[in-house]
Amino acid sequence: MTRRGILRNICALLLGALLPLCGAPAFEASNSVGGIWVFSGAPPFPGLRMMQIAVKAGRATGTLTTDWYGPMPMHDLCIRGKAASFGIHNGNPRLPMKTWMTTLQGKHQMRVVGDIWEEHVDLLARRGTARDAARLRFQVQPLPAPARLGPDALAPTPPMGWSSWNRFAEKIDDPTVRRMADLMVSTGLRDAGYLYVNIDDGWQGKRDARGVLQPNPKFPDMKALAEYVHSRGLKLGLYSSPGPRSCAGFEGSYGHVEMDAQTWASWGIDYVKYDLCSGEGIFRTPAEVQAAYLAMGQALRRTGRPIVYSLCQYGRDRVGSWGRDVGGHLWRTTGDISDDYTTMARLGFERNGDPADAGPGGWNDPDMLEVGNGGMTAGEYRTHMSLWAILAAPLLMGHDLQAMTPETFALLANPEVIAIDQDPKGIQGRRVRKDGAVEVWSRPLADGSAVLALFNRGEVEASVRFEAADAGLARFLSLRDVWARRAWEPATGTATLPPHGVLLLRAAGPRG
Ligand code: GLA
């Protein structure tokens, strides 16, 4: 290096340290951290590939490219000599940004420290070349133009079935799915109306050389599995994500939407749950999320196979108002359920979507059932089922059928409760009034009768008065206790409810 060069570098370092470059005009010194930085041996989450920092016309910009979220823009990038700091959206732009720091170590190595979700990153990156950048580039995929898919006849009533997630999470395999299918038949649950056997996250393997997604070794032959499930008079469902990775870290459909839909159809798949997961870091606006869901909706339609399409983006951006347009038959209205009364009640009572969005062909989905998983009392599970039935919610069981008690079966297979859920008119019930811990809900049914549900959300016994007007009727001609499957004897308008309990009534009478 010439003397002039050395002098310039010293000045640059001094000035760089004194004058931070935070999006403002800056001295070239900042270029020391500028350039392409390549990670190797990064852990799978979030799969850091490279970091690019550019200083142009005195302004610094940068991206952090990951397998999970693609190129993540650096916010408030601030270069201070040999170090830089920036903010990264934590996958989800709704959450507070995380601050990342990088420090140059020597000339060609950078230490990168930051957090994303639960993961702390502390890695070294080496200075890379344009060729590295081309190799590690994340292929951003085009999204379809807005369009509206017309209705089909696939979900005239809320879908019913079983899903692997709540009980088995990613510990699911082909033999377990077959056993669940067998048990749905032998226990009578299929005949009670539960039709879909859905494999949630955890079946995916890698893509082959042509890009075709393969199941992982726990699912040796999906076509054979679908044939088996079909031979039992049931239907088979699968799960994927519009992002590059599913929530449990398996391969998603990003960049392979058309191909995946065709693959699933060729296996004989009847139901697809499409879970936003890593897509929330890539599709950053509501319009992009909607377009990503439309892409799969269109691809599923193009297969020509009737496939129920379940949207799972946690109820954001008023999904109920556009779910049908992208081909959805059900859409989650909330984050995940867990097997406890507090969570179940929050979802069922508060996060159940706009009733105006629900009806034949498209349903609000407050998430799958936890009945039989052991975290709630029988009375609390009765509240869970009653609430889902009055909401016209999809009934996707989530327990281990191998360990089902008669009590659990009775909760899931009560024909009168199922008939309420599956009422052909498909009107989602509403809260009529709330008095402290007590809530009165009602739902009109196709035959002119109405459901009246009295819930006690409190910790102590409560009594509640109710009247025909609560059910939209002029007077009661008859009242039936749906769980007991007999007439509601007291025939008075007062009921006593245990803590977390419910009285589910079907009322007949002239409309009020
Ligand atoms: C998300 C969904 C769940 C389940 C898991 C699988 O959390 O909301 O219902 O599908 O992903 O990883």
Side-chain angles (χ1 to χ4, degrees), residues 125-254:
R126 67 164 172 83
R127 201 181 275 284
T129 60
R131 185 179 279 197
D132 287 323
R135 180 174 53 87
L136 297 170
R137 192 166 68 91
F138 185 91
Q139 295 271 350
V140 177
Q141 301 295 325
L143 286 168
R148 248 186 164 175
L149 295 178
D152 56 24
L154 264 186
T157 60
M160 291 176 66
W162 175 88
S163 161
S164 55
W165 186 255
N166 283 354
R167 175 64 181 78
F168 293 95
E170 58 263 59
K171 293 185 201 73
I172 186 69
D173 54 23
D174 172 295
T176 308
V177 174
R178 286 176 195 245
R179 273 201 300 280
M180 294 303 136
D182 290 345
L183 283 160
M184 280 170 74
V185 180
S186 62
T187 56
L189 283 168
R190 178 196 63 187
D191 295 341
Y194 295 90
L195 207 58
Y196 291 93
V197 180
N198 293 346
I199 311 169
D200 205 277
D201 212 350
W203 66 268
Q204 314 89 318
K206 295 285 165 220
R207 296 187 182 275
D208 69 12
R210 289 174 303 135
V212 179
L213 184 56
Q214 306 296 314
N216 64 42
K218 293 191 295 173
F219 291 90
D221 187 341
M222 275 295 185
K223 199 163 194 279
L225 179 57
E227 270 161 24
Y228 184 81
V229 168
H230 292 159
S231 76
R232 316 296 280 140
L234 296 162
K235 293 180 181 291
L236 186 64
L238 278 188
Y239 164 102
S240 190
S241 169
R245 293 285 184 280
S246 73
C247 294
F250 293 86
E251 188 76 21
S253 292
Y254 191 80

Side-chain angles (χ1 to χ4, degrees), residues 289-483:
V289 171
Q290 194 172 330
Y293 278 89
L294 174 65
M296 182 53 84
Q298 289 172 326
L300 291 174
R301 287 279 174 99
R302 277 195 284 266
T303 66
R305 188 176 171 81
I307 298 178
V308 167
Y309 184 29
S310 157
L311 318 184
C312 180
Q313 45 78 277
Y314 331 118
R316 296 175 189 163
D317 311 321
R318 297 221 54 246
V319 58
S321 68
W322 53 264
R324 286 168 196 265
D325 295 343
V326 300
H329 300 99
L330 60 159
W331 42 85
R332 279 272 292 275
T333 55
T334 162
D336 291 12
I337 198 167
S338 55
D339 189 18
D340 58 276
Y341 178 81
T342 309
T343 308
M344 179 282 291
R346 189 179 65 241
L347 270 44
F349 288 112
E350 318 296 343
R351 308 293 307 274
N352 46 40
D354 183 345
D357 297 330
W363 307 97
N364 285 319
D365 173 14
D367 207 359
M368 302 170 289
L369 299 171
E370 290 283 7
V371 177
N373 279 334
M376 290 182 240
T377 65
E380 290 169 339
Y381 281 139
R382 198 174 304 128
T383 292
H384 186 5
M385 277 302 283
S386 306
L387 197 45
W388 264 237
I390 206 162
L391 290 171
L395 297 179
L396 292 159
M397 304 179 291
H399 65 304
D400 182 356
L401 296 167
Q402 298 164 109
M404 180 165 62
T405 62
E407 191 178 58
T408 295
F409 178 80
L411 282 163
L412 291 164
N414 181 316
E416 297 187 28
V417 177
I418 292 177
I420 292 172
D421 181 78
Q422 297 285 301
D423 184 73
K425 212 157 182 193
I427 298 174
Q428 179 171 331
R430 292 169 190 260
R431 182 187 288 116
V432 179
R433 58 193 164 82
K434 186 169 161 61
D435 183 8
V438 171
E439 299 196 9
V440 177
W441 287 63
S442 100
R443 171 176 179 188
L445 299 177
D447 67 355
S449 67
V451 189
L452 194 58
L454 313 167
F455 295 102
N456 174 11
R457 294 177 67 179
E459 307 298 324
V460 291
E461 194 177 87
S463 77
V464 51
R465 283 196 60 78
F466 60 93
E467 47 196 57
D470 291 329
L473 303 176
R475 62 179 188 283
F476 290 133
L477 286 180
S478 68
L479 269 176
R480 187 165 166 85
D481 179 338
V482 171
W483 283 110

Side-chain angles (χ1 to χ4, degrees), residues 33-63:
V33 293
I36 295 149
W37 297 95
V38 176
F39 296 95
S40 49
F45 180 77
L48 283 163
R49 291 187 191 176
M50 68 173 157
M51 188 169 76
Q52 287 161 296
I53 295 180
V55 182
K56 249 191 219 153
R59 288 199 172 269
T61 54
T63 52

